[in-house]
Amino acid sequence: MVPYDELSSSVPIKRTLQVIDCQNQANKQESEEPSNKRVRSLGRVTSLANLISPVKNGAVRRFGQTIQASFRGDGKLPGVPQKPCSKAAAPTPPKRRNSTLWSETLDVHQKGTFSTKEIKRQEAIFELSRGEQDLIEDLQLARKAYHDPMLKLSIMSEEELTHIFGNLDAYIPLHEDLLAQLSKATGQDGTVGQIGQIVVTWLPRLNAYKDYCSNQLAAKALLDQKKQDRRVQDFLQRCLESPFSRKLDLWSFLDIPRSRLVKYPLLLKEILRHTPAEHPDAARLEEAITVIQGVLSDINMKKGESECQYYIDKLEYLDDRQKDPRIDHCKSLLCHGELRNKSGTKLHVFLFTELLVLTRPVTRNERQCFQVYRQPIPVQELLLEDLQDGDVRMGGSFRGAFSNADKAKNIFRVRSQDLNQGQSHTLQVNDVFHKQQWLNCLRSAISIHRPLSEASTPSTPITGDTRSKRRPSSISAIVHMEEADENCPKPSSQSAPTSPCSSMTPRKKKKTLNW
C-alpha cells in the first residue's frame, strides 16, 4: 500500500489540493478523526457545498456541511490506491431540538420567588416563543437546504419550485417580528409581564397564509409527481438521511406553517388558563383567541374552495351529458374517498355540496384524473339506505374476500329519487367506523337541501321479492345533523372519507364542516 503522502507524484496537483482541503474541513467537524480514513470522491461534494449561502443562525449554519457529508460518494479517486477501513463509520444521529423548559433556565432561588400558577403561565409563553424560533429555522432550512440547491443544480425548474414552495421567504419576517416583540417584553428575570396586546395586534397578519394553504393540495400533487424523477428522488433521499432533516421529508417542512397555525388557539388558551382573572392580559387573551379563530375560519374557507375546484378540474367526462351544470356552483368538497361497488370495482367518490359524483381514477400523460362513472346524482334528489351486514352479496373480483357462509359487511346504498335515471349504487367501505363517517357526511349534505319534514317521509319502496324477504334496513333521506368532528374524520384507510377539515381547525367539536 502506497502511503498517502507519497501520492502527490501520481495524482495531479489540483486533485491533491482538493483532498487536503477536504481533510481540513473534516478536521473542523470532528475532533477525533482516524488516521486511516478512506479518501472519497469529491465530484458531488464540491458542487453542493458551494450552493449553500452562509447564514447567521447557528441552527442553520452547519447544514451545508451536513449536506456535503451526506453527498459523499462511495466511488474512489481514479488511480489512487485506497487504504483499508478498520471499521464502518456509524451513522450520524439526527439533530434534536432543544426541549428545555422555562423553569429549567432558573436557579433554585429564582424558582422560589414565583407561584406555581405563574411558572405555568411563563412556561406557556416560553413555548409560544420557542415555537416561533423553531418555525423560523425550519423555513430557512427549507429554502437553503432544498429550494436553492435544487434550483442551482437544475433538478427542478424555477416555476416548479415556486409552485411547490410558494413564497416562504415572505413569512420569515412575519414570525421574526413576533419573536422580537416577545423578546422586548421579557424582563430581566426572564418573565413576560403582558402578552395580550402583542398577539391581538399581530395575529391578523397571519391572513398572509391564505394563498399558501390554498395551494398546498396542488403543491403536494406536483411534488409527488416530481419524485418519480430519479434525480429528485436521490436528492431528497440524501437530505432525509442527513442529520439536519431530523428524519423529516421535504413535505413535512412545507407543511409546518399550516400545522403551526392550528396551534395558536391552543397555545393562547393554555396561557389564558394560567392567567389570573384580574390580570390585564385576561381580557386581551380572550380577544386574541377570537381573532385567531376568525383568521383560521377565513383560511379554511379559502382552502376549501381551492380544494373543491382542484378536484372539479380533474373530472373527466366520457359524454358531455354527464356534466351537470350544478358542478359549477359547488364551492365546497364535503368528503371524498375510495369505495367499492357491488361488482367489486374501485371507485373514488366525491361528495360536493350540490352533487354526489362517482369516478374511476385514471392517469393521462402522468396526470391523475377521475373519469366520471355514470351520471352524477344531485344531492337534493339523493336517497340514502343503510344496509345491514349480510343484506347483499358482493360479486365480481371482490367475491373471493368472503366465504360461502359470509356476506358483505359495511355497505350502504345511494340512489336517485328521479326514477328516469334509474341509478342505484351499493357501496362498501373497509370497516364500520368509516361507514358511519360516510353516512354522517351524506345525511348532513342531504339535510341542507331537504326540509326536516321530508326526513320522516317514507322513501320510494324498493320492490322485488328478494328484497322484501331481507331484514328491514333503515331507509331515510336524513336522520339528524351530526357533529362536524364525526363528519370530517381523518383519512386512515382507503375507504375513509377524506374531508377538507383535515387539520386546520383544532380538534374540538364544531357545528360546521371545515377543511
Side-chain angles (χ1 to χ4, degrees), residues 119-137:
I119 290 178
K120 290 182 177 180
R121 169 180 157 82
Q122 294 300 324
E123 292 281 15
I125 297 175
F126 183 75
E127 183 179 355
L128 173 64
S129 176
R130 187 181 59 193
E132 292 300 296
Q133 181 63 54
D134 292 343
L135 176 60
I136 293 169
E137 292 177 3

Side-chain angles (χ1 to χ4, degrees), residues 427-464:
L427 303 173
Q428 183 179 43
V429 297
N430 286 344
D431 52 55
V432 65
F433 174 78
H434 295 116
K435 173 187 174 179
Q436 191 60 46
Q437 310 315 307
W438 274 103
L439 294 179
N440 291 340
C441 282
L442 288 164
R443 288 166 178 161
S444 297
I446 294 171
S447 70
I448 298 175
H449 297 273
R450 199 83 47 83
L452 290 177
S453 59
E454 293 189 27
S456 58
T457 302
S459 306
T460 303
I462 302 177
T463 60

Side-chain angles (χ1 to χ4, degrees), residues 8-38:
S8 58
S9 61
S10 60
V11 181
I13 296 176
K14 183 176 180 180
R15 176 64 67 181
T16 305
L17 292 175
Q18 289 178 333
V19 173
I20 295 173
D21 181 67
C22 178
Q23 288 182 336
N24 291 336
Q25 292 183 9
N27 290 334
K28 293 179 181 180
Q29 298 178 32
E30 300 179 2
S31 58
E32 296 183 6
E33 185 81 2
S35 60
N36 60 348
K37 182 177 181 180
R38 71 171 61 181

Side-chain angles (χ1 to χ4, degrees), residues 90-111:
T92 307
K95 176 186 173 183
R96 294 184 178 181
R97 277 271 163 80
N98 183 11
S99 58
T100 303
L101 299 175
W102 177 81
S103 57
E104 295 175 347
T105 64
L106 306 176
D107 56 34
V108 179
H109 175 71
Q110 284 181 301
K111 282 185 180 181

Side-chain angles (χ1 to χ4, degrees), residues 211-325:
D211 292 337
Y212 182 83
C213 293
S214 299
N215 185 59
Q216 277 194 305
L217 185 62
K220 181 68 164 59
L222 177 59
L223 178 60
D224 290 341
Q225 178 184 340
K226 295 300 296 183
K227 284 180 180 179
Q228 306 304 315
D229 186 331
R230 292 188 61 182
R231 295 184 67 209
V232 175
Q233 189 178 38
D234 180 68
F235 179 87
L236 295 180
Q237 182 61 32
R238 290 177 182 273
C239 290
L240 182 63
E241 295 171 356
S242 300
F244 72 82
S245 71
R246 309 193 307 276
K247 301 301 181 182
L248 299 176
D249 60 10
L250 172 57
W251 183 250
S252 297
F253 284 101
L254 296 177
D255 193 48
I256 282 176
R258 182 203 57 79
S259 62
R260 177 64 179 173
L261 288 176
V262 301
K263 290 181 181 178
Y264 286 118
L266 304 178
L267 290 170
L268 293 175
K269 288 178 181 178
E270 184 67 12
I271 297 174
L272 178 60
R273 190 162 71 92
H274 299 296
T275 300
E278 65 277 7
H279 195 284
D281 260 355
R284 286 298 189 182
L285 287 172
E286 291 180 353
E287 181 183 353
I289 293 172
T290 302
V291 170
I292 186 58
Q293 288 175 341
V295 170
L296 294 183
S297 178
D298 292 342
I299 297 178
N300 281 344
M301 184 176 298
K302 182 73 179 293
K303 187 178 186 300
E305 293 176 355
S306 175
E307 181 180 14
C308 180
Q309 190 60 48
Y310 173 84
Y311 283 112
I312 289 177
D313 293 340
K314 285 187 172 292
L315 296 180
E316 182 181 273
Y317 300 93
L318 296 176
D319 192 318
D320 289 340
R321 290 174 295 181
Q322 287 182 309
K323 187 170 183 179
D324 193 306

Side-chain angles (χ1 to χ4, degrees), residues 470-490:
R470 292 190 283 103
R471 296 193 306 273
S473 299
S474 57
I475 306 175
S476 63
I478 170 179
V479 176
H480 57 277
M481 286 291 290
E482 300 288 342
E483 294 286 5
D485 60 338
E486 294 179 343
N487 292 336
C488 308
K490 294 183 295 182

